[in-house]
Amino acid sequence: MSEKVFPKDFMWGAATASYQIEGSPLVDGAGSSIWHRFSHTPGNTYNGDTGDVADDHYNKYKEDIALMKELGLKAYRFSISWPRIFPYGKGKINEKGVDFYNRLVDELLKANITPFVTLYHWDLPAALQDLGGWTNRDIAYWYTDYADYMFQRFGDRVKNWITLNEPWVMAFVGHFMGEHAPGMKDLYASFSAVHNQLRAHSKTVKTFREENIKEGKIGITLSNTSHDPAADSQEDIDAARLAHEWSNYPLFLNPIYKGDYPKGIKEHVSEFLPHNYENDLEEIKEKIDFVGINYYSGDLVKTDTKSFLGGKTVERGLPKTEMGWEIYPEGFYKILKGVQEEYNPKEVYVTENGAAFDDKVVNQEVHDEKRIEYLKQHLEQALRAIQNGVTLKGYFAWSLLDNFEWAWGYSKRFGIVYVDYKTQKRIIKDSGKWYSQVIKNNSFEF
Ligand SMILES: N=[N+]=NCCCCNC(=O)[C@@H]1[C@H]2[C@H](O)[C@@H](O)[C@H](O)[C@@H](CO)[C@@H]12
């Protein structure tokens, strides 16, 4: 393989999520979600932005799939909104919600674009939150029933399934930091959410196997930040390692592949794990077909006895994106190489990688050179990882479209396609044109 060309059949895609792009959150019988409630609660999002309209993808999905085809995408990662299917999370089924995703999947297949479906990308049915949400052990059954119904309705056409998107962010940004839905600040709730997401994930994998979906594959998508020690001291090295075990793939892959939480978690924060959590570990240890890795940035960790887990991040003067996140491509390689070395997954997909920059429209064009540079630097590291034994099979740029960036609302743009929220007009950015050439050449050098 030439040093700049990706393997044949490498799966080039782009990713989105239901609440971030669809709009119409309560249309056609859909139930409310915790993000509908959270964004409608004053003070929770920038400018009071909500997902009420977003990119109006619920109505413009055909136009957006035509854009994907124009870009030459081989695959498209999107999420299904649980409350569109089960308005109350369980029980009554909303056929109009199922119908939307039927039309979406059929249109993708018509365009010869492979669907990768995320079953849960944070928009929990609000009715289930009223029953405790991810802190209620029964959610493992509610979620598995929802997932199983999706396998039955879409398994004939959808072969690639992701159970959960970034369970760490759901658990800690949503239940400890309070910056995401459901807006809690309770560390015990956070670890309960970790544990119940793992239980839900593994029960669903077992059910997926029983459904025997022809050529079906199932995995999980995990958030990652590359944590480097601030100094070559044992205390900084230990603090960076603990941050890695807590906030990156080990927190979930250790239970899934090795049947227990990471050593550092058990040593330092086991008090926050649910009572008798050990009783569930055998069931959680369930083989998956691929690991989804999301990567955006890195940080420097310095020992600090006053901080949670004994470490705090410190500056190192790297350039940053509009999110204030370091641009650190080397960290992408470290995360990819690390997951292969620590768990040796059969397959790895980069399910999200991308950057927010201050995009401006000039004469109906968006010259986002910084995003092209970011993507190129990270693709170089992805290819380096493949050349060093990582079983990387595909890459999904985050995101196809500018969209609702959670608590940041519409103030941060990650898309390779620009969205004018006043007119809902789409403009392919220079990065989208560049990415289209990457796909055509199967290389970032052309
Ligand atoms: N380890 N660690 N973790 C903390 C780092 C979390 C960084 N934010 C993400 O990963 C979210 C992910 C999300 O899927 C998508 O829905 C968001 O739009 C993007 C952009 O924000 C990214």
Side-chain angles (χ1 to χ4, degrees):
M1 171 171 61
S2 130
E3 76 287 356
K4 297 288 185 195
V5 179
F6 279 76
K8 188 173 169 305
D9 300 332
F10 191 73
M11 189 69 85
W12 294 103
T16 64
S18 44
Y19 192 77
Q20 294 184 269
I21 67 165
E22 289 176 0
S24 305
L26 303 177
V27 160
D28 291 339
S32 176
S33 76
I34 57 173
W35 264 97
H36 181 74
R37 282 188 180 169
F38 189 79
S39 64
H40 279 259
T41 302
N44 282 344
T45 61
Y46 176 84
N47 193 34
D49 288 345
T50 74
D52 288 358
V53 179
D55 299 337
D56 194 24
H57 181 72
Y58 189 75
N59 296 305
K60 301 173 80 69
Y61 71 94
K62 282 193 176 177
E63 175 187 339
D64 291 333
I65 291 171
L67 265 177
M68 296 177 212
K69 193 165 175 61
E70 186 180 344
L71 290 169
L73 297 190
K74 307 288 187 201
Y76 171 55
R77 177 186 172 229
F78 65 96
S79 75
I80 291 177
S81 174
W82 185 347
R84 282 200 197 283
I85 311 297
F86 289 94
Y88 305 104
K90 53 192 167 80
K92 175 179 171 288
I93 287 161
N94 176 36
E95 270 303 327
K96 284 187 175 175
V98 177
D99 182 53
F100 168 65
Y101 294 107
N102 260 325
R103 286 181 276 120
L104 178 65
V105 167
D106 290 345
E107 194 70 18
L108 284 168
L109 295 177
K110 227 164 72 180
N112 202 20
I113 295 169
T114 302
F116 271 63
V117 169
T118 307
L119 284 160
Y120 182 69
H121 200 125
W122 306 350
D123 42 0
L124 185 74
L128 297 184
Q129 189 60 44
D130 293 339
L131 301 175
W134 288 107
T135 68
N136 183 333
R137 279 182 64 88
D138 288 344
I139 196 161
Y141 306 100
W142 307 333
Y143 174 85
T144 304
D145 289 345
Y146 152 64
D148 191 22
Y149 189 64
M150 292 299 89
F151 299 149
Q152 289 170 31
R153 297 297 300 264
F154 298 100
D156 59 324
R157 289 157 289 155
V158 175
K159 304 302 178 184
N160 299 282
W161 295 86
I162 293 163
T163 55
L164 302 168
N165 177 74
E166 300 205 340
W168 182 90
V169 175
M170 180 73 227
F172 292 97
V173 184
H175 294 79
F176 177 35
M177 299 162 197
E179 294 160 13
H180 279 188
M184 288 173 72
K185 293 190 174 181
D186 175 342
L187 207 44
Y188 294 86
S190 296
F191 278 94
S192 173
V194 165
H195 195 66
N196 288 328
Q197 287 183 95
L198 276 167
R199 292 179 52 243
H201 158 84
S202 297
K203 283 181 190 300
T204 293
V205 173
K206 275 193 189 70
T207 301
F208 182 78
R209 303 290 182 226
E210 288 156 12
E211 286 293 345
N212 203 11
I213 307 256
K214 193 163 156 292
E215 293 155 12
K217 289 183 181 178
I218 192 163
I220 188 170
T221 275
L222 303 170
S223 58
N224 298 281
T225 295
S226 180
H227 301 300
D228 288 344
D232 192 17
S233 67
Q234 197 53 53
E235 53 188 11
D236 284 2
I237 290 167
D238 292 347
R241 174 77 202 170
L242 195 48
H244 173 67
E245 291 186 1
W246 172 59
S247 75
N248 291 341
Y249 56 77
L251 184 63
F252 299 92
L253 295 189
N254 231 67
I256 290 170
Y257 280 91
K258 300 181 178 175
D260 204 354
Y261 285 104
K263 185 166 161 292
I265 297 300
K266 289 172 53 176
E267 278 171 7
H268 294 269
V269 285
S270 60
E271 69 160 294
F272 298 108
L273 287 167
H275 183 58
N276 289 336
Y277 75 89
E278 298 90 341
N279 299 342
D280 301 312
L281 291 175
E282 190 50 41
E283 181 177 38
I284 289 171
K285 191 171 180 245
E286 181 68 34
K287 279 199 184 343
I288 55 178
D289 301 308
F290 64 86
V291 169
I293 291 288
N294 287 2
Y295 177 82
Y296 289 90
S297 72
D299 61 22
L300 213 46
V301 178
K302 179 163 187 50
T303 185
D304 175 34
T305 51
K306 294 189 293 303
S307 296
F308 177 60
L309 288 181
K312 64 179 180 180
T313 56
V314 292
E315 284 301 317
R316 59 179 152 185
L318 290 179
K320 294 186 177 179
T321 69
E322 276 298 293
M323 295 295 278
W325 298 345
E326 287 181 351
I327 298 173
Y328 185 48
E330 172 76 15
F332 194 25
Y333 174 79
K334 290 182 183 178
I335 289 290
L336 291 170
K337 191 79 174 107
V339 74
Q340 198 72 47
E341 285 173 347
E342 293 175 51
Y343 303 99
N344 200 25
K346 272 187 291 186
E347 294 186 336
V348 177
Y349 284 90
V350 172
T351 35
E352 288 177 32
N353 175 242
F357 290 110
D358 184 18
D359 300 329
K360 293 280 183 273
V361 178
V362 177
N363 299 327
Q364 292 311 301
E365 294 188 322
V366 180
H367 303 306
D368 55 336
E369 300 83 3
K370 286 184 182 175
R371 185 171 288 104
I372 292 173
E373 187 53 25
Y374 177 98
L375 293 174
K376 182 172 182 180
Q377 288 174 336
H378 287 77
L379 287 176
E380 282 174 336
Q381 296 300 324
L383 185 58
R384 179 185 165 208
I386 293 171
Q387 292 163 343
N388 284 277
V390 177
T391 56
L392 184 62
K393 303 297 177 189
Y395 173 95
F396 292 83
W398 183 269
S399 179
L400 172 73
L401 302 168
D402 293 335
N403 60 51
F404 176 76
E405 179 45 42
W406 308 113
W408 287 101
Y410 298 99
S411 66
K412 307 295 181 188
R413 292 179 178 273
F414 276 88
I416 56 175
V417 175
Y418 185 94
V419 176
D420 178 333
Y421 296 111
K422 292 190 184 66
T423 64
Q424 285 298 340
K425 183 174 162 44
R426 275 78 163 134
I427 301 172
I428 298 179
K429 301 178 189 176
D430 288 357
S431 62
K433 295 171 186 169
W434 177 83
Y435 190 57
S436 173
Q437 286 303 307
V438 168
I439 298 170
K440 203 166 152 200
N441 294 278
N442 205 27
S443 169
F444 47 80
E445 295 278 351
F446 43 78

